[in-house]
Amino acid sequence: MDFINDIYSVSFEGIIKNVHQYRFISTVDSNDIIKIVSLSPIDGMAEWFNLGFGNLEKNDAGEFFVNDISEKNNIDFDKVLATVFSCLMQFLNNNPYSRIIFFGNTEHKHITYKRKISANLEQLQEFFLVQGGYANFNVTIIEKEQEILKKNKLFKRTIRIKDTYSMNINYIESIEIFNIQKSKDYHFVLISLGDILN
Amino acid sequence: MSRNKLNNIVQKQIAKSTEFWAGKPKLGIEELSAIEIFAKNKGKILDKYCSLDDNKSKLEKLFVASLKR
């Protein structure tokens, strides 16, 4: 990953009600997709933040929402992921003791993110302490029809997503240094600066 | 990697981005509110878990223990 030359330009939109908000535009062949990265503090855990990431879209009523199950993309996933990590760099540079936790909300995306982290782990570890964690939780799985845009053609498919409103963590089992061999079993990923502070 | 190196990379990223975003409008209230709602909903997973003091300290301990391994 090239964190300077091969990322999209990020706009820090500010901190609104303690939520750090970043925006960038994924652009391929004049097709612009607005991407949002949000970092919200976990109640009562001063240094812990939850990572949110999705497309800024409008619903049928014309209202904005962040769609984190959207499959509308420009097939530029590596550049998008590098840009998300560049947002985390900016955030951690200002908040060096913070930890960022990420739960994928669809099976497909969660697996994809972990694969991409695994593929780029060595480079990511130059900057971050990357960890994986196990949790015991209950969650309702919802099946949802989804439209995917591939090569300018719309396809429909059914995806399984976690109903995050219903998700209940019973306990966090363990946290460890991200291990590629075990990564498929991680329920969440944790990013911090780790050794950089030494 | 040193703190300075990270800071240097971040400053380069910001300089490049500032040039790109110059003159482009910032997000409006509607967009920012939508992001805030999204972020708060995403955070609920852990907010609920960490509403118990015992769980907060367990999570912190697990993190600290993971660094020592």
PDB file of all heavy atoms in Angstrom, chain A residues 66-84:
ATOM      1  N   VAL A  66     -25.776   6.883   5.096  1.00  0.00           N
ATOM      2  CA  VAL A  66     -24.521   6.189   4.801  1.00  0.00           C
ATOM      3  C   VAL A  66     -24.849   4.713   4.635  1.00  0.00           C
ATOM      4  O   VAL A  66     -25.397   4.077   5.531  1.00  0.00           O
ATOM      5  CB  VAL A  66     -23.472   6.402   5.919  1.00  0.00           C
ATOM      6  CG1 VAL A  66     -22.182   5.655   5.584  1.00  0.00           C
ATOM      7  CG2 VAL A  66     -23.189   7.885   6.101  1.00  0.00           C
ATOM      8  N   ASN A  67     -24.557   4.213   3.465  1.00  0.00           N
ATOM      9  CA  ASN A  67     -24.900   2.838   3.124  1.00  0.00           C
ATOM     10  C   ASN A  67     -23.660   1.953   3.263  1.00  0.00           C
ATOM     11  O   ASN A  67     -22.766   1.994   2.431  1.00  0.00           O
ATOM     12  CB  ASN A  67     -25.434   2.801   1.687  1.00  0.00           C
ATOM     13  CG  ASN A  67     -25.968   1.439   1.313  1.00  0.00           C
ATOM     14  OD1 ASN A  67     -25.829   0.479   2.062  1.00  0.00           O
ATOM     15  ND2 ASN A  67     -26.604   1.356   0.155  1.00  0.00           N
ATOM     16  N   ASP A  68     -23.629   1.179   4.343  1.00  0.00           N
ATOM     17  CA  ASP A  68     -22.439   0.343   4.542  1.00  0.00           C
ATOM     18  C   ASP A  68     -22.639  -1.089   4.055  1.00  0.00           C
ATOM     19  O   ASP A  68     -21.817  -1.955   4.323  1.00  0.00           O
ATOM     20  CB  ASP A  68     -21.959   0.369   5.998  1.00  0.00           C
ATOM     21  CG  ASP A  68     -22.954  -0.219   6.963  1.00  0.00           C
ATOM     22  OD1 ASP A  68     -24.107  -0.460   6.568  1.00  0.00           O
ATOM     23  OD2 ASP A  68     -22.578  -0.453   8.125  1.00  0.00           O
ATOM     24  N   ILE A  69     -23.743  -1.316   3.352  1.00  0.00           N
ATOM     25  CA  ILE A  69     -23.884  -2.620   2.697  1.00  0.00           C
ATOM     26  C   ILE A  69     -23.883  -2.453   1.177  1.00  0.00           C
ATOM     27  O   ILE A  69     -24.075  -3.401   0.438  1.00  0.00           O
ATOM     28  CB  ILE A  69     -25.150  -3.388   3.146  1.00  0.00           C
ATOM     29  CG1 ILE A  69     -26.412  -2.591   2.836  1.00  0.00           C
ATOM     30  CG2 ILE A  69     -25.071  -3.738   4.620  1.00  0.00           C
ATOM     31  CD1 ILE A  69     -27.676  -3.417   2.960  1.00  0.00           C
ATOM     32  N   SER A  70     -23.646  -1.212   0.759  1.00  0.00           N
ATOM     33  CA  SER A  70     -23.650  -0.951  -0.681  1.00  0.00           C
ATOM     34  C   SER A  70     -22.531  -1.713  -1.386  1.00  0.00           C
ATOM     35  O   SER A  70     -21.433  -1.853  -0.864  1.00  0.00           O
ATOM     36  CB  SER A  70     -23.454   0.547  -0.917  1.00  0.00           C
ATOM     37  OG  SER A  70     -23.376   0.794  -2.305  1.00  0.00           O
ATOM     38  N   GLU A  71     -22.853  -2.226  -2.533  1.00  0.00           N
ATOM     39  CA  GLU A  71     -21.826  -2.904  -3.343  1.00  0.00           C
ATOM     40  C   GLU A  71     -21.469  -2.048  -4.561  1.00  0.00           C
ATOM     41  O   GLU A  71     -20.825  -2.516  -5.488  1.00  0.00           O
ATOM     42  CB  GLU A  71     -22.311  -4.285  -3.791  1.00  0.00           C
ATOM     43  CG  GLU A  71     -22.391  -5.298  -2.674  1.00  0.00           C
ATOM     44  CD  GLU A  71     -21.030  -5.803  -2.196  1.00  0.00           C
ATOM     45  OE1 GLU A  71     -20.061  -5.677  -2.960  1.00  0.00           O
ATOM     46  OE2 GLU A  71     -20.949  -6.299  -1.069  1.00  0.00           O
ATOM     47  N   LYS A  72     -21.984  -0.787  -4.547  1.00  0.00           N
ATOM     48  CA  LYS A  72     -21.630   0.103  -5.646  1.00  0.00           C
ATOM     49  C   LYS A  72     -20.185   0.519  -5.454  1.00  0.00           C
ATOM     50  O   LYS A  72     -19.848   1.204  -4.485  1.00  0.00           O
ATOM     51  CB  LYS A  72     -22.527   1.343  -5.640  1.00  0.00           C
ATOM     52  CG  LYS A  72     -23.892   1.094  -6.243  1.00  0.00           C
ATOM     53  CD  LYS A  72     -24.725   2.353  -6.216  1.00  0.00           C
ATOM     54  CE  LYS A  72     -26.177   2.005  -6.481  1.00  0.00           C
ATOM     55  NZ  LYS A  72     -27.095   3.055  -6.063  1.00  0.00           N
ATOM     56  N   ASN A  73     -19.323   0.061  -6.310  1.00  0.00           N
ATOM     57  CA  ASN A  73     -17.933   0.474  -6.184  1.00  0.00           C
ATOM     58  C   ASN A  73     -17.284   0.533  -7.557  1.00  0.00           C
ATOM     59  O   ASN A  73     -17.854   0.084  -8.549  1.00  0.00           O
ATOM     60  CB  ASN A  73     -17.174  -0.455  -5.239  1.00  0.00           C
ATOM     61  CG  ASN A  73     -17.105  -1.863  -5.769  1.00  0.00           C
ATOM     62  OD1 ASN A  73     -16.500  -2.104  -6.809  1.00  0.00           O
ATOM     63  ND2 ASN A  73     -17.726  -2.812  -5.087  1.00  0.00           N
ATOM     64  N   ASN A  74     -16.105   1.098  -7.552  1.00  0.00           N
ATOM     65  CA  ASN A  74     -15.394   1.306  -8.819  1.00  0.00           C
ATOM     66  C   ASN A  74     -14.320   0.252  -9.069  1.00  0.00           C
ATOM     67  O   ASN A  74     -13.416   0.466  -9.870  1.00  0.00           O
ATOM     68  CB  ASN A  74     -14.748   2.700  -8.811  1.00  0.00           C
ATOM     69  CG  ASN A  74     -15.762   3.784  -9.142  1.00  0.00           C
ATOM     70  OD1 ASN A  74     -16.661   3.568  -9.955  1.00  0.00           O
ATOM     71  ND2 ASN A  74     -15.626   4.933  -8.509  1.00  0.00           N
ATOM     72  N   ILE A  75     -14.444  -0.850  -8.346  1.00  0.00           N
ATOM     73  CA  ILE A  75     -13.431  -1.917  -8.435  1.00  0.00           C
ATOM     74  C   ILE A  75     -12.025  -1.323  -8.225  1.00  0.00           C
ATOM     75  O   ILE A  75     -11.093  -1.561  -8.987  1.00  0.00           O
ATOM     76  CB  ILE A  75     -13.550  -2.720  -9.753  1.00  0.00           C
ATOM     77  CG1 ILE A  75     -15.036  -2.998 -10.032  1.00  0.00           C
ATOM     78  CG2 ILE A  75     -12.806  -4.058  -9.651  1.00  0.00           C
ATOM     79  CD1 ILE A  75     -15.305  -3.727 -11.322  1.00  0.00           C
ATOM     80  N   ASP A  76     -11.957  -0.505  -7.167  1.00  0.00           N
ATOM     81  CA  ASP A  76     -10.693   0.114  -6.785  1.00  0.00           C
ATOM     82  C   ASP A  76     -10.461  -0.159  -5.299  1.00  0.00           C
ATOM     83  O   ASP A  76     -10.024   0.715  -4.554  1.00  0.00           O
ATOM     84  CB  ASP A  76     -10.729   1.631  -7.050  1.00  0.00           C
ATOM     85  CG  ASP A  76     -11.927   2.310  -6.394  1.00  0.00           C
ATOM     86  OD1 ASP A  76     -12.809   1.597  -5.880  1.00  0.00           O
ATOM     87  OD2 ASP A  76     -11.976   3.544  -6.389  1.00  0.00           O
ATOM     88  N   PHE A  77     -10.803  -1.367  -4.900  1.00  0.00           N
ATOM     89  CA  PHE A  77     -10.864  -1.684  -3.474  1.00  0.00           C
ATOM     90  C   PHE A  77      -9.544  -1.425  -2.750  1.00  0.00           C
ATOM     91  O   PHE A  77      -9.539  -0.927  -1.623  1.00  0.00           O
ATOM     92  CB  PHE A  77     -11.305  -3.138  -3.272  1.00  0.00           C
ATOM     93  CG  PHE A  77     -11.869  -3.378  -1.905  1.00  0.00           C
ATOM     94  CD1 PHE A  77     -13.217  -3.224  -1.651  1.00  0.00           C
ATOM     95  CD2 PHE A  77     -11.038  -3.713  -0.854  1.00  0.00           C
ATOM     96  CE1 PHE A  77     -13.723  -3.407  -0.374  1.00  0.00           C
ATOM     97  CE2 PHE A  77     -11.533  -3.903   0.427  1.00  0.00           C
ATOM     98  CZ  PHE A  77     -12.878  -3.748   0.670  1.00  0.00           C
ATOM     99  N   ASP A  78      -8.422  -1.745  -3.402  1.00  0.00           N
ATOM    100  CA  ASP A  78      -7.126  -1.551  -2.733  1.00  0.00           C
ATOM    101  C   ASP A  78      -6.882  -0.074  -2.423  1.00  0.00           C
ATOM    102  O   ASP A  78      -6.421   0.276  -1.341  1.00  0.00           O
ATOM    103  CB  ASP A  78      -5.981  -2.092  -3.604  1.00  0.00           C
ATOM    104  CG  ASP A  78      -5.944  -3.618  -3.577  1.00  0.00           C
ATOM    105  OD1 ASP A  78      -6.622  -4.214  -2.712  1.00  0.00           O
ATOM    106  OD2 ASP A  78      -5.265  -4.213  -4.423  1.00  0.00           O
ATOM    107  N   LYS A  79      -7.211   0.764  -3.405  1.00  0.00           N
ATOM    108  CA  LYS A  79      -6.993   2.208  -3.206  1.00  0.00           C
ATOM    109  C   LYS A  79      -7.956   2.739  -2.132  1.00  0.00           C
ATOM    110  O   LYS A  79      -7.577   3.573  -1.306  1.00  0.00           O
ATOM    111  CB  LYS A  79      -7.210   2.936  -4.539  1.00  0.00           C
ATOM    112  CG  LYS A  79      -6.792   4.377  -4.507  1.00  0.00           C
ATOM    113  CD  LYS A  79      -6.770   4.985  -5.907  1.00  0.00           C
ATOM    114  CE  LYS A  79      -6.358   6.435  -5.887  1.00  0.00           C
ATOM    115  NZ  LYS A  79      -6.254   7.015  -7.224  1.00  0.00           N
ATOM    116  N   VAL A  80      -9.193   2.239  -2.162  1.00  0.00           N
ATOM    117  CA  VAL A  80     -10.184   2.671  -1.167  1.00  0.00           C
ATOM    118  C   VAL A  80      -9.731   2.245   0.231  1.00  0.00           C
ATOM    119  O   VAL A  80      -9.752   3.043   1.174  1.00  0.00           O
ATOM    120  CB  VAL A  80     -11.585   2.094  -1.504  1.00  0.00           C
ATOM    121  CG1 VAL A  80     -12.540   2.236  -0.322  1.00  0.00           C
ATOM    122  CG2 VAL A  80     -12.170   2.811  -2.722  1.00  0.00           C
ATOM    123  N   LEU A  81      -9.294   1.006   0.352  1.00  0.00           N
ATOM    124  CA  LEU A  81      -8.858   0.518   1.662  1.00  0.00           C
ATOM    125  C   LEU A  81      -7.628   1.291   2.158  1.00  0.00           C
ATOM    126  O   LEU A  81      -7.548   1.660   3.332  1.00  0.00           O
ATOM    127  CB  LEU A  81      -8.546  -0.980   1.611  1.00  0.00           C
ATOM    128  CG  LEU A  81      -8.335  -1.633   2.979  1.00  0.00           C
ATOM    129  CD1 LEU A  81      -9.628  -1.661   3.791  1.00  0.00           C
ATOM    130  CD2 LEU A  81      -7.795  -3.050   2.841  1.00  0.00           C
ATOM    131  N   ALA A  82      -6.694   1.568   1.245  1.00  0.00           N
ATOM    132  CA  ALA A  82      -5.509   2.361   1.626  1.00  0.00           C
ATOM    133  C   ALA A  82      -5.949   3.744   2.098  1.00  0.00           C
ATOM    134  O   ALA A  82      -5.373   4.301   3.043  1.00  0.00           O
ATOM    135  CB  ALA A  82      -4.550   2.485   0.444  1.00  0.00           C
ATOM    136  N   THR A  83      -6.984   4.289   1.471  1.00  0.00           N
ATOM    137  CA  THR A  83      -7.472   5.618   1.869  1.00  0.00           C
ATOM    138  C   THR A  83      -8.132   5.565   3.247  1.00  0.00           C
ATOM    139  O   THR A  83      -7.953   6.475   4.058  1.00  0.00           O
ATOM    140  CB  THR A  83      -8.449   6.187   0.819  1.00  0.00           C
ATOM    141  OG1 THR A  83      -7.880   6.049  -0.485  1.00  0.00           O
ATOM    142  CG2 THR A  83      -8.755   7.645   1.088  1.00  0.00           C
ATOM    143  N   VAL A  84      -8.886   4.491   3.496  1.00  0.00           N
ATOM    144  CA  VAL A  84      -9.490   4.336   4.826  1.00  0.00           C
ATOM    145  C   VAL A  84      -8.376   4.292   5.880  1.00  0.00           C
ATOM    146  O   VAL A  84      -8.446   4.974   6.910  1.00  0.00           O
ATOM    147  CB  VAL A  84     -10.360   3.052   4.908  1.00  0.00           C
ATOM    148  CG1 VAL A  84     -10.822   2.795   6.345  1.00  0.00           C
ATOM    149  CG2 VAL A  84     -11.566   3.160   3.979  1.00  0.00           C
TER     150      VAL A  84
END
